[in-house]
């Protein structure tokens, strides 16, 4: 599992535990399901006793009753299946590996580069600030991504029974369908993350040592200093992490074309900022 998937499992265990709210939520959902089924039957009789509508309402009621009675098992099974797909695409957690490599780099550097902040020139100050970006920006982006992933999943898990219970009622079933779309979007986050990992591995950008020896990031930023190259890579990786939720949503909803335009615009903006920073340093 990736780091955010393991964190979500901890959150899921807390929400579904003995002290969690799921027992009460499931009880309320069962009552709502029964009321919605009765309302669907009443609506079918109001429309002339349509036997087909009554049969559909009964089938929905039985199906959702089985789902709610095994909701925790079903949700965990779906989540585990998507996690396995993501792990099959890329077994390596590139974000955690990158943070570990950056931490090892700073540990190997010791305090010498930070001491330059006090004893040297403005150039050393800029160099240290650039290294601070590498040490702070990406971990913060990763932390925000993990929090949002866990929050999104916890909301879907906790509200799922109540939303699915509305499905038998005619006219409000769209809420259940929207819930299923959001469930797929949530699980697509891990798959997009895994695809990014494959992409970075293909261009050998997931290894700090390989990047520094090649003096570039997949052919980009040729000739940049070690600190600047590492910082620019961390910034681009942070942008990639931030794009995952938007990209996953657009792919699931079929808005792939606009997704590519959004990515191109974001990358161009990031490259413009990088060029401005490089010109200021030069």
């Amino acid at each position: 599992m990736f780091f955010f998937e393991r964190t979500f499992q901890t959150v899921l265990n807390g929400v579904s535990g003995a002290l969690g709210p799921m027992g009460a939520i499931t009880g309320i959902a069962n009552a709502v399901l029964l009321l919605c089924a009765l309302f669907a039957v009443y609506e079918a009789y109001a429309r002339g006793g349509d036997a087909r509508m009554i049969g559909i309402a009964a089938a929905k009621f039985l199906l959702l009753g089985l789902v709610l009675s095994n909701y925790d098992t079903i949700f965990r099974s779906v989540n585990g299946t998507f996690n396995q797909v993501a792990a099959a695409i890329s077994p390596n957690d590139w974000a955690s590996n990158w943070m570990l490599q950056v931490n090892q780099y700073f540990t190997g550097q010791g305090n010498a580069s930070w001491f330059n902040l006090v004893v040297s020139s403005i150039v050393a100050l800029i160099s240290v600030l650039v290294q601070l970006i590498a040490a702070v920006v990406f971990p913060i982006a990763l932390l925000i991504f993990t929090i949002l992933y866990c929050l999104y999943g916890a909301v879907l898990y906790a509200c799922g029974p109540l939303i699915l219970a509305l499905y038998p009622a005619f006219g409000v079933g769209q809420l259940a369908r929207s819930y299923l779309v959001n469930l797929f979007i949530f699980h697509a986050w891990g798959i997009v993350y895994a695809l990014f990992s494959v992409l970075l591995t293909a261009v050998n950008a997931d290894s700090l040592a390989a990047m520094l020896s090649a003096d570039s990031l997949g052919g980009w930023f040729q000739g940049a200093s070690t600190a600047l190259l590492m910082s620019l890579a961390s910034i681009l990786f942070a942008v990639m992490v931030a794009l995952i939720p938007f990209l996953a949503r657009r792919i699931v909803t079929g808005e792939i074309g606009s997704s590519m335009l959004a990515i191109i615009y974001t990358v161009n903006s990031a490259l413009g900022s990088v060029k401005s920073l490089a010109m200021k340093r030069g």
Side-chain angles (χ1 to χ4, degrees), residues 91-115:
N92 299 319
D93 193 339
W94 65 270
S96 297
N97 293 339
W98 177 257
M99 285 202 301
L100 178 62
Q101 294 176 70
V102 172
N103 179 63
Q104 291 174 344
Y105 172 82
F106 283 122
T107 302
Q109 290 294 310
N111 297 323
S113 59
W114 303 104
F115 188 65

Side-chain angles (χ1 to χ4, degrees), residues 29-45:
N30 286 323
V32 172
L33 176 62
L34 179 60
L35 290 175
C36 288
L38 293 176
F39 179 78
V41 172
Y42 169 78
E43 188 175 9
Y45 275 110

Side-chain angles (χ1 to χ4, degrees), residues 181-195:
V181 171
N182 279 280
L183 189 65
F184 278 102
I185 292 173
F186 165 71
H187 287 108
W189 286 25
I191 294 178
V192 175
Y193 180 91
L195 291 174

